Amino acid sequence: MEATAPKSAAPYTDYRWASAWKLAVPRLWIALLLVILGFLVLYPVAMLTYGALTNEDPVSGSGQGTISLSNFLAVLSDPAVRRATWNSLVICTGGTAIAVVVGLLFAWTTVRTNTPMRRFIEIAGMLPLFVPPLVAAFAWGLLGSPRTGLINVAFKFMGLPLSVNFYSTAGMIFIFGIYYAPYVYMFTASALKNMDPSLEEAAEIAGVGPFRTLFTIVFPLITPAILSGTLLSFVVMLGIYGIPAALGTPAQISVLTTYIYGLISWSPPNYNAAAATSVILIAVTALCVLLQQRIMRGRSYVTVSGKSFRPKQLDLGSWKWATFTFALAYLMLGVILPTIALLIASFKKFLFIPDIGALFNFSAYSLSHYEQLFANPLTWRSVVNTFEIGLVTAIIGGVLAFSISYTVYRTNLPGRRTLDIISTLPVAIPGLVVGVAYIWAWIGLPLNLYGTIWILALAFVARFLPDSVKSLSTSLMQIHKDLEEASQVCGVGVLGTIRQIIVPLVMPGLISSMSLLFILAIRELGSSLFLYVSDTIPMAVLLLDFYEGGNVGVTAAFSLVQTLLLVAVIGLSTVVARSFATFSK
């Protein structure tokens, strides 16, 4: 009689291996993503903390340093650090207050009122978001220099006994507020668009005036958006280097970011004190993020119900011209005047303006600064480097953000919450600190990453990972799970479903997310300061070099070139995203 056991054992064995493999693949996927995030985020932060707790440096350290709190104690007892911390808190708090007031009123004006030209004002008001902070600070310096600023020249011409000085604490507070008002606008405008107008209609029936309704009903109900915009603005301001470097350093006003830069740019560099100060800065920003979550916990602000509605347009009557004037004043301060200042400085041979008439002496204008700019080989090298870094950042960051977003928001895999938490951690890490952390992580290792565009791109990916994940998660959550379930019922596997259904539907969002990464990489200065070499210098760092070299005309010309490149990238990405959106329909 023939034995039949071997014939029946093989299918059973294959089934067992297939089941084990099916269970192992999700765990391997989660493990792979955690390893990548550890490589990008956790390892640099851990090495930064190690540097803060030892007396070694990242170049010649042996990994056997003695652990102690001496660096923290030295930093905390340093009067310069306390002064820089106080300046940072004062400037960022004041700037945030102005940003909240301006951004909130700007959102209400364009979303909920019948102010004329609302759409144009809304688009133009977002332009400061796409101008690099150093460019904005340089432009405002041209406007508000104590003796030669264009605003002061105009005041003198009009015979007004007024003057402004943006090279001061008050000046930086004002510029931070104007520059970052769009952050608050983005959060609050979205909330106002989704708010049920029946609440305002009920107040109107009860005889409550529009402005009382605004402060007693509308603003309280969008508290989550206001708090989110407030905390985001404060955290971003706290980690910005470009504005304090351009306006604070000449006036000897030190903040934490400029102080950290000074510690490493000194000779010899003090890496340990820089690491300790960076950890303190991370702690402050992390505290702000946790504070926001604690404030919002357990509160209900539901204003969107199941019934459809159209956001109410409040008829302001003659007051609409007051809100129109406010909107135009913001556009003038945030967009038009800085652009005019850059144009004048970039074309004027010598930036000496004794009176208003000197501005109209057209023989004093030429293309010499642009000729000098484009004759410099570093200009072209920086443009090529920046676009290479931006492309690598966009591709790697886009793929990684999609992988994390899909895993977190579209699966029930164990470990996805840990994945979500780690990918969100860079929110609390300022750009300059990312650069310091990557020095500690990679400069002493034999991987030859330091001095290449790869270390810059990886630092940018880590820096902006929360932005890209958040951007993509919105697109993914709009896709109903029934589509995936139907695909699986038809016998299509997970990868096939992702390739044939999810990716085409989320492609406009993916293009937008990758474009955002590209734009942020072009703008980023803080993360680049410690990671570039002469062959990999990006545009943002070269712009800082021009500025610190005192070449005002070339700096203005390069500022306009960089801004125009950003506008071109934004326009191209918008067209591509719309094309994919139309195609997917």
Side-chain angles (χ1 to χ4, degrees), residues 93-284:
T93 301
T96 301
I98 294 176
V100 169
V101 172
V102 174
L104 194 54
L105 290 177
F106 196 71
W108 178 72
T109 297
T110 57
V111 175
R112 305 294 283 198
T113 73
N114 64 336
T115 300
M117 301 176 63
R118 293 188 308 276
R119 182 59 179 165
F120 167 76
I121 293 172
E122 180 181 6
I123 295 173
M126 298 297 290
L127 291 179
L129 281 178
F130 306 110
V131 178
L134 181 61
V135 172
F138 172 68
W140 278 104
L142 295 173
L143 289 168
S145 177
R147 289 181 294 180
T148 61
L150 296 177
I151 293 178
N152 292 323
V153 171
F155 284 156
K156 182 180 177 181
F157 172 74
M158 292 184 288
L160 298 175
L162 301 173
S163 65
V164 295
N165 179 13
F166 291 135
Y167 292 90
S168 63
T169 298
M172 284 192 287
I173 289 174
F174 174 78
I175 293 167
F176 266 127
I178 295 297
Y179 185 77
Y180 287 102
Y183 280 82
V184 180
Y185 170 86
M186 287 190 300
F187 284 90
T188 53
S190 177
L192 287 170
K193 289 176 183 178
N194 292 325
M195 184 176 166
D196 192 340
S198 63
L199 301 169
E200 296 165 277
E201 292 169 359
E204 186 178 353
I205 293 172
V208 180
F211 289 99
R212 185 180 175 189
T213 300
L214 179 66
F215 290 101
T216 59
I217 294 178
V218 177
F219 287 169
L221 284 174
I222 62 170
T223 300
I226 296 174
L227 283 175
S228 296
T230 300
L231 268 297
L232 174 65
S233 300
F234 183 84
V235 168
V236 171
M237 291 179 195
L238 201 61
I240 286 295
Y241 174 78
I243 294 176
L247 300 177
T249 301
Q252 297 183 342
I253 302 172
S254 175
V255 296
L256 283 173
T257 50
T258 55
Y259 181 79
I260 292 171
Y261 177 73
L263 289 173
I264 294 184
S265 61
W266 291 341
S267 183
N270 192 339
Y271 291 107
N272 303 100
T277 311
S278 299
V279 171
I280 293 173
L281 187 54
I282 291 176
V284 173

Side-chain angles (χ1 to χ4, degrees), residues 47 155 171-172 269 353 369 371 400 412 417 507 537 574 577:
M47 288 302 298
F155 284 156
M172 284 192 287
I353 307 174
H369 297 311
E371 293 170 355
L400 180 61
N412 295 316
R417 297 303 175 198
M507 184 58 71
I537 186 169
T574 302

